[in-house]
């Protein structure tokens, strides 16, 4: 019990570091990929926020057993995992409007595996009272094996539970809304109000912008 304060402090530090690293990693990785494909540098706030969430998810399993430097590495890689898995879903034409699967699924898998890589035997001993295991960086292999088995079991359990449920919904015609509702938006059809301003900018504002220095002209 006398070490609980130190453990809580470590959790606060590692959680913050991983979130910050994930935010920066995801945003700049997306920016670099955009520059390669389009030649333009754009900084996507959504990538930054979800990268931060990915860093938080990645550190959840191991915040009490990794060193601060490892938390930074976990966050950086979580940012990469988020960006690449988000683009993978787009490529596969899987609709995930809020990137829940990349953040909580893929980054969650990375967080479990990261525990088997970066877990410090000393930190494990402090938090759990046993120091006979650790990550592969410390010469142990049993923990990474447990993490991989755990990830596989969770995937099998989730798929086994939810696949029949989704098949039943699809059979009953309740799996997705009709195309018109997709265009209008479920916030309007189900919640009686628009969550976003989907209107375009005013013509006068566009003309004023185009005539200003921000629009590329010396007005």
């Amino acid at each position: 019990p006398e070490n609980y304060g130190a453990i809580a402090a470590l959790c606060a530090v590692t959680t913050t570091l991983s979130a910050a690293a994930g935010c920066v990693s995801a945003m700049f990785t997306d920016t670099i990929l955009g520059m390669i494909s389009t030649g333009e540098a754009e900084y996507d706030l959504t990538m930054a926020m979800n990268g931060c969430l990915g860093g938080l998810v990645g550190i959840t399993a191991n915040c009490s057993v990794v060193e601060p430097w490892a938390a930074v590495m976990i966050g950086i890689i979580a940012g990469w995992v988020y960006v690449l898995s988000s683009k993978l879903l787009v490529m596969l034409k899987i609709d995930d409007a809020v990137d829940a699967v990349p953040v909580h699924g893929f980054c969650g898998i990375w967080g479990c595996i990261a525990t088997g890589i970066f877990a410090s035997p000393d930190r494990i001993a402090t938090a759990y009272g046993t120091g006979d295991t650790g990550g592969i960086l410390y010469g142990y292999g049993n923990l990474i094996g447990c993490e991989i088995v755990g990830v596989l079991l969770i995937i099998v359990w989730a798929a086994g539970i939810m696949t029949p449920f989704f098949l039943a919904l699809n059979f009953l015609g309740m799996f997705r809304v009709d195309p018109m509702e997709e265009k209008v938006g479920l916030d309007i059809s189900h919640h009686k109000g628009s969550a976003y301003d989907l209107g375009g900018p005013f013509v006068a504002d566009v003309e004023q912008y185009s005539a200003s220095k921000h629009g590329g002209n010396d007005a």
Side-chain angles (χ1 to χ4, degrees):
E2 67 271 10
N3 293 322
Y4 283 1
I7 296 170
L10 176 66
C11 291
V13 170
T14 54
T15 300
T16 303
L17 288 174
S18 183
C23 173
V24 175
S25 170
M27 185 181 71
F28 282 103
T29 299
D30 181 68
T31 299
I32 292 171
L33 292 176
M35 290 176 64
I36 293 173
S37 61
T38 66
E40 303 245 345
E42 296 180 347
Y43 303 94
D44 191 337
L45 184 59
T46 301
M47 285 290 171
M49 294 188 295
N50 280 341
C52 180
L53 289 175
L56 290 170
V57 172
I59 199 66
T60 298
N62 47 67
C63 61
S64 64
V65 296
V66 299
E67 302 291 346
W69 66 265
V72 175
M73 295 301 301
I74 291 169
I76 290 173
I77 298 174
W80 296 339
V81 169
Y82 162 67
V83 172
L84 296 179
S85 58
S86 176
K87 294 185 181 300
L88 174 64
L89 292 191
V90 173
M91 184 178 68
L92 296 175
K93 297 183 179 180
I94 297 175
D95 184 16
D96 186 0
V98 296
D99 274 344
V101 172
V103 170
H104 298 282
F106 285 92
C107 289
I109 291 172
W110 160 239
C112 292
I113 295 174
T115 304
I117 298 174
F118 295 103
S120 164
D122 293 338
R123 299 293 187 181
I124 293 175
T126 301
Y128 298 104
T130 175
D132 59 350
T133 187
I136 58 176
L137 291 182
Y138 296 90
Y140 296 89
N142 55 345
L143 188 56
I144 186 69
C146 291
E147 296 296 338
I148 292 174
V149 170
V151 167
L152 293 176
L153 288 175
I154 291 170
I155 292 173
V156 170
W157 175 81
I161 293 293
M162 297 309 298
T163 298
F165 181 72
F166 288 143
L167 290 175
L169 286 177
N170 190 49
F171 177 77
L172 295 172
M174 301 169 61
F175 192 60
R176 63 184 300 170
V177 298
D178 61 62
M180 180 57 67
E181 280 189 288
E182 288 183 354
K183 291 181 179 180
V184 172
L186 296 186
D187 50 347
I188 294 176
S189 66
H190 281 58
H191 305 290
K192 310 307 179 186
S194 177
Y196 306 95
D197 180 10
L198 300 179
F202 293 109
V203 175
D205 292 337
V206 174
E207 292 176 348
Q208 181 179 355
Y209 170 80
S210 300
S212 70
K213 63 179 181 180
H214 300 293
N217 299 320
D218 295 328

